[in-house]
Amino acid sequence: MPSSKASQAKSLNALTPAYDSILELAPYQTGKPVEELTREYGVFDVVKLASNENPMGCSPKVTLAITEQLGELARYPDGNGYYLKQALSDFTNISIDCITLGNGSNDLLDILARSFVGSKDAIVYSQYGFVVYSMLAKMQGATGIEVPAQRFGHDLKAMRQAVADNANTKIVFIANPNNPTGTLLQSAELYDFVASVPSSVLVVLDEAYIEYSPESNNRALLDEFDNVVIVRTFSKAYGLAGLRVGYALSSPAVADLLNRIRQPFNVSRVGLAAAAAALADQSFISEVRQTNAGQMRWLEKQFDALGLAFIKSSANFIMVQIEEAAVINQALLEQGVIVRPLIGYGLEDWLRVTVGVAEENTRLIDTLKSILNAE
Ligand SMILES: Cc1ncc(COP(=O)(O)O)c(C=O)c1O
């Protein structure tokens, strides 16, 4: 999390970064890898519920698509990702020239910031919004404007005011559902928000978890507003986090700009083929959604029984309130269960838990019970 001070940065001697704010950045904190826990604590039977990955893996159809590429690895991928874009165009009912592919959706968030935000500009995002937005402001030497959250979610009225108060705002980032809180905005609220901000402000809807809330559909915004971008990923419900594929939907003019900024081969040959196969298997996504919903209900019941408060989530993770979260997190790690502490978000009393499959969730709850009882 970006909490380190400039004084903690290594000395660059005579060198200086492009912006002082880069020195305030701390590397993005990823969920602890399983191998690291095994190395550190000697635990082998590890359950990782820390990075909102899909515990069911990916569609079996992806394996064949990947295998077909293995003889072609000496060749660069299609730099335009034609077949994946064609499939996405059919899937989202948008013209192919409105699509930009990314090395994960994080790549697209980065490309968006680099394309539109200079050091005199501002980026608006919510308190408890996905941490990468504030990092992007620092990377661009721009002003990051964090708007206080409302019941852990986006306060769109306050965000609209922040845009009105800061004429240099270039991008508003909105994660829907939001990570780490799992909150979801109603489409009507989002429509009103987009309609109320100047057309010179890009509204980026980060829909990394949208497959888990199919009732939310904001795709129509793109038909009406040229300043809306929707960013999605194959890392979550599609189960391809290890391959790094994401996409952005926008006006053709914005896509044209993003495609100039992105690296020529930013999605690998294997990634392109795997994503197209994953997209074609929507019955797998339905199964994932159903399993997640059932397991989410089960976890909610367990938290209720343990007297732990949680935030109702529209994604594949849930935030649970727990006293001395850092101590509990450490005890969970020592017993081979990886969840995500949220200190970097200023949520010291909360842990974020990815919804696993039944066996993993049972292990989490059993371990949690034993820790809480032992206290
Ligand atoms: C809200 C949100 N957006 C974007 C991302 C980036 O994911 P990826 O780069 O794997 O697509 C994440 C990952 O955790 C996320 O939670």
Side-chain angles (χ1 to χ4, degrees):
M1 303 290 142
S3 57
S4 74
K5 299 280 175 302
S7 60
Q8 291 169 333
K10 287 186 180 149
S11 168
L12 286 163
N13 295 325
L15 304 171
T16 50
Y19 307 111
D20 286 349
S21 52
I22 291 176
L23 292 169
E24 292 165 24
L25 276 169
Y28 178 83
Q29 206 94 55
T30 59
K32 214 180 220 337
V34 171
E35 301 77 16
E36 196 176 308
L37 199 73
T38 303
R39 232 176 18 247
E40 282 180 7
Y41 299 101
V43 227
F44 285 91
D45 185 14
V46 175
V47 168
K48 186 182 175 207
L49 300 173
S51 300
N52 307 336
E53 297 145 332
N54 187 345
M56 294 167 69
C58 62
S59 157
K61 302 213 165 96
V62 167
T63 319
L64 178 64
I66 288 180
T67 314
E68 280 171 1
Q69 293 304 317
L70 295 183
E72 302 294 326
L73 296 185
R75 302 279 171 207
Y76 280 107
D78 170 8
N80 288 319
Y82 179 80
Y83 289 107
L84 176 57
K85 277 197 195 170
Q86 187 60 59
L88 286 166
S89 164
D90 294 342
F91 182 68
T92 57
N93 192 23
I94 202 167
S95 147
I96 201 163
D97 59 351
C98 298
I99 303 174
T100 311
L101 300 180
N103 193 250
S105 59
N106 212 110
D107 186 29
L108 292 157
L109 300 175
D110 182 68
I111 292 169
L112 279 159
R114 285 194 288 129
S115 303
F116 287 96
V117 183
S119 59
K120 295 192 172 66
D121 300 326
I123 297 180
V124 168
Y125 45 84
S126 175
Q127 179 188 23
Y128 312 138
F130 183 43
V131 66
V132 163
Y133 313 146
S134 60
M135 295 177 73
L136 290 172
K138 289 199 168 86
M139 283 176 211
Q140 297 305 112
T143 307
I145 299 172
E146 182 182 289
V147 178
Q150 191 179 39
R151 282 178 268 110
F152 293 95
H154 293 75
D155 182 344
L156 290 184
K157 210 169 145 210
M159 290 180 82
R160 180 181 312 155
Q161 193 57 48
V163 173
D165 292 345
N166 294 277
N168 58 343
T169 304
K170 296 300 279 292
I171 295 186
V172 178
F173 281 113
I174 296 174
N176 197 51
N178 183 47
N179 173 19
T181 56
T183 47
L184 185 76
L185 291 159
Q186 299 303 313
S187 295
E189 293 177 83
L190 271 172
Y191 181 93
D192 290 347
F193 176 77
V194 172
S196 76
V197 298
S199 56
S200 56
V201 174
L202 205 62
V203 179
V204 177
L205 279 187
D206 179 346
E207 296 193 336
Y209 302 94
I210 203 65
E211 293 80 12
Y212 295 101
S213 3
E215 72 279 14
S216 172
N217 189 349
N218 301 302
R219 154 71 186 81
L221 289 174
L222 294 167
D223 297 330
E224 203 171 328
F225 301 101
D226 282 347
N227 59 326
V228 170
V229 181
I230 293 181
V231 179
R232 296 189 186 147
T233 184
F234 284 92
S235 297
K236 307 298 177 181
Y238 287 98
L240 297 179
L243 278 181
R244 317 300 304 125
V245 191
Y247 64 99
L249 307 175
S250 66
S251 71
V254 169
D256 177 52
L257 202 65
L258 303 183
N259 275 298
R260 293 176 199 213
I261 295 278
R262 73 172 176 84
Q263 288 184 30
F265 301 106
N266 62 337
V267 184
S268 74
R269 171 177 281 284
V270 176
L272 289 171
L279 188 71
D281 192 355
Q282 287 299 314
S283 62
F284 175 76
I285 296 298
S286 306
E287 206 186 316
V288 165
R289 195 180 285 140
Q290 220 174 334
T291 305
N292 181 70
Q295 288 303 308
M296 180 74 87
R297 277 196 298 276
W298 186 82
L299 276 175
E300 288 175 350
K301 269 195 208 138
Q302 305 305 310
F303 292 145
D304 273 339
L306 287 167
L308 299 174
F310 57 85
I311 307 293
K312 197 92 184 127
S313 168
S314 298
N316 67 336
F317 52 84
I318 181 163
M319 232 170 67
V320 58
Q321 192 171 28
I322 201 155
E323 263 175 52
E324 298 194 76
V327 177
I328 304 286
N329 177 56
Q330 184 59 31
L332 284 169
L333 283 178
E334 285 166 17
Q335 297 190 48
V337 179
I338 316 177
V339 297
R340 183 67 78 96
L342 297 170
I343 301 156
Y345 283 92
L347 293 161
E348 285 84 0
D349 294 342
W350 297 82
L351 293 175
R352 191 196 67 196
V353 174
T354 303
V355 177
V357 288
E359 199 186 6
E360 294 171 317
N361 296 332
T362 306
R363 167 91 177 272
L364 164 77
I365 296 297
D366 287 350
T367 314
L368 202 51
K369 274 184 193 159
S370 74
I371 294 167
L372 293 172
N373 289 338
E375 279 200 329

